[in-house]
Amino acid sequence: KLEIVMLKGLVSLSLSLVFLSSGTIVLAAESGYVARSNLMQNIRSEFSVLARMAQEKIQFDESLAESTRLTLLNLAASAPTIFEDNELPINSEALPAIWENWEDFVSKSEDFEFALEGIETSTLIDLRSSLGNVGATCGSCHQKYRMK
């Protein structure tokens, strides 16, 4: 019986960690608001690397730009799953409209992924010219589904 309890604990611990390519760790035990908040903070943090490069606030680095783009793709792909839990504490910026219009929300999430796929990271000029589409998809979702 002790072995079964230990095995269940080990399996539970193993399943609770999801590793993304960036090294970001999301605990599956985090649900609802906390998981969504962490996801959005991670996306904002990663995107700021690309934005600062495009603005020449940090030096352009093709390798860093591409790894950041790939990290953003992984984060974006997790959004529908993380947003499935509709827990809405008082401090949440998520609107109930997300779950009332779930298919549209998922579609906007896919649009975000598509825009991220289109980011060109080979040169500073390419990076600059390809970031606008990403911002537009962020705004499209936030206008409808984020508390102002």
Side-chain angles (χ1 to χ4, degrees):
K1 184 166 179 150
L2 180 58
E3 291 174 349
I4 293 173
V5 170
M6 289 177 64
L7 182 59
K8 283 183 180 178
L10 185 58
V11 168
S12 176
L13 179 61
S14 297
L15 293 175
S16 69
L17 297 177
V18 175
F19 293 92
L20 300 174
S21 68
S22 69
T24 303
I25 300 172
V26 177
L27 294 177
E30 292 178 349
S31 63
Y33 168 75
V34 173
R36 290 192 310 266
S37 179
N38 288 340
L39 173 67
M40 298 312 292
Q41 287 173 10
N42 288 334
I43 289 172
R44 185 172 26 255
S45 175
E46 294 294 327
F47 188 75
S48 75
V49 172
L50 297 178
R52 290 189 332 246
M53 263 188 218
Q55 297 165 351
E56 295 187 67
K57 291 183 178 178
I58 61 173
Q59 184 172 351
F60 175 77
D61 179 317
E62 182 181 357
S63 177
L64 176 59
E66 181 60 15
S67 68
T68 301
R69 183 186 75 83
L70 294 174
T71 297
L72 281 164
L73 276 167
N74 283 330
L75 291 168
S78 71
T81 301
I82 289 176
F83 272 82
E84 283 178 349
D85 186 335
N86 63 356
E87 174 190 1
L88 281 171
I90 196 161
N91 58 338
S92 176
E93 294 179 350
L95 294 173
I98 291 171
W99 299 278
E100 294 165 0
N101 303 294
W102 183 250
E103 292 80 19
D104 182 61
F105 175 79
V106 170
S107 175
K108 289 185 183 313
S109 180
E110 291 168 350
D111 291 345
F112 179 52
E113 285 183 71
F114 183 74
L116 290 170
E117 288 171 0
I119 293 176
E120 295 291 332
T121 59
S122 55
T123 69
L124 177 59
I125 292 170
D126 290 338
L127 178 65
R128 280 184 184 147
S129 66
S130 61
L131 287 184
N133 292 335
V134 177
T137 61
C138 291
S140 170
C141 191
H142 288 181
Q143 286 174 0
K144 190 169 184 178
Y145 298 119
R146 182 179 180 196
M147 192 174 301
K148 295 171 176 90

